Amino acid sequence: MTSETLWYANRATGAVTLLLFTAVVLLGIAVRLRTRLPGLPRFGTITLHRTLSLSATAFLALHIAAATVDTYVNITLTDAIVPFLSDYQPFWLGLGTVAFDLLLAVLITSLLRARLGHRTWRTLHWLAYASWPIALAHGIGIGTDTGTDWMTWLTIACVTTVLAAFTIRVTQAARESRRTPTTLLRTGVSP
């Protein structure tokens, strides 16, 4: 495989990974809000979130593989796992590594969810909220397509949808925290 092919593969998998993880974040918020997607039962949203998470992780693995196999820039597997060590753009690549490490923690704890307990798993799952914007900053800082019209609009669309969903989630959490046990009992909802 030529270096040019790997460069295009790295760019493409980076963009697809951004789209997929944006969808994963949106689906995660939908699951938490107990939202049903049209045409799917409630458990369908959860299943889609899990399946898309694994697909996004596979594209991320391809993205990392393309970056480490490409000889044009020297990025080692260690650089992909240990942040801020790379000789090539250590800060921006390091952000990608931090996002990857956070995502690994979410993935591993999700696989061990039954053994960890729901509360521990849920606390660690919050790392996904940190991983997404760090990965986004990585892409903006190191991406060779940053500034092109298509990537600018893709980034704006991803940020806008995640911010809108996150705002809805925070608004709902604030409403729920204002409810008192008395209010909940009056409405027939158990605390």
Side-chain angles (χ1 to χ4, degrees), residues 21-86:
F21 275 117
T22 297
V24 168
V25 169
L26 296 173
L27 285 167
I29 292 170
V31 166
R32 185 69 183 125
L33 293 174
R34 293 178 171 79
T35 303
R36 278 189 57 215
L37 297 179
L40 286 179
R42 184 164 141 27
F43 72 86
T45 306
I46 295 168
T47 302
L48 184 59
H49 173 67
R50 287 180 186 154
T51 303
L52 205 54
S53 296
L54 292 174
S55 299
T57 303
F59 267 91
L60 179 58
L62 291 172
H63 177 66
I64 293 168
T68 57
V69 171
D70 189 357
T71 57
Y72 182 74
V73 176
N74 186 27
I75 299 173
T76 67
L77 190 56
T78 302
D79 297 333
I81 298 169
V82 182
F84 309 111
L85 293 182
S86 177

Side-chain angles (χ1 to χ4, degrees), residues 28-173:
I29 292 170
V31 166
R32 185 69 183 125
L33 293 174
R34 293 178 171 79
T35 303
R36 278 189 57 215
L37 297 179
L40 286 179
R42 184 164 141 27
F43 72 86
T45 306
I46 295 168
T47 302
L48 184 59
H49 173 67
R50 287 180 186 154
T51 303
L52 205 54
S53 296
L54 292 174
S55 299
T57 303
F59 267 91
L60 179 58
L62 291 172
H63 177 66
I64 293 168
T68 57
V69 171
D70 189 357
T71 57
Y72 182 74
V73 176
N74 186 27
I75 299 173
T76 67
L77 190 56
T78 302
D79 297 333
I81 298 169
V82 182
F84 309 111
L85 293 182
S86 177
D87 292 332
Y88 177 72
Q89 298 200 27
F91 179 74
W92 297 115
L93 188 64
L95 287 179
T97 302
V98 167
F100 174 63
D101 291 345
L102 292 172
L103 184 65
L104 275 179
V106 171
L107 178 66
I108 291 167
T109 57
S110 291
L111 293 172
L112 299 172
R113 181 179 179 180
R115 293 179 182 227
L116 292 174
H118 183 73
R119 183 173 291 198
T120 302
W121 168 81
R122 188 169 161 197
T123 300
L124 291 168
H125 207 75
W126 276 88
L127 295 174
Y129 282 120
S131 179
W132 187 85
I134 293 170
L136 181 71
H138 157 77
I140 291 170
I142 205 170
T144 55
D145 289 313
T146 300
T148 60
D149 287 346
W150 73 271
M151 193 62 190
T152 299
W153 285 110
L154 176 65
T155 303
I156 288 170
C158 289
V159 169
T160 302
T161 56
V162 167
L163 285 176
F166 190 71
T167 300
I168 292 167
R169 170 69 181 101
V170 168
T171 302
Q172 185 202 33

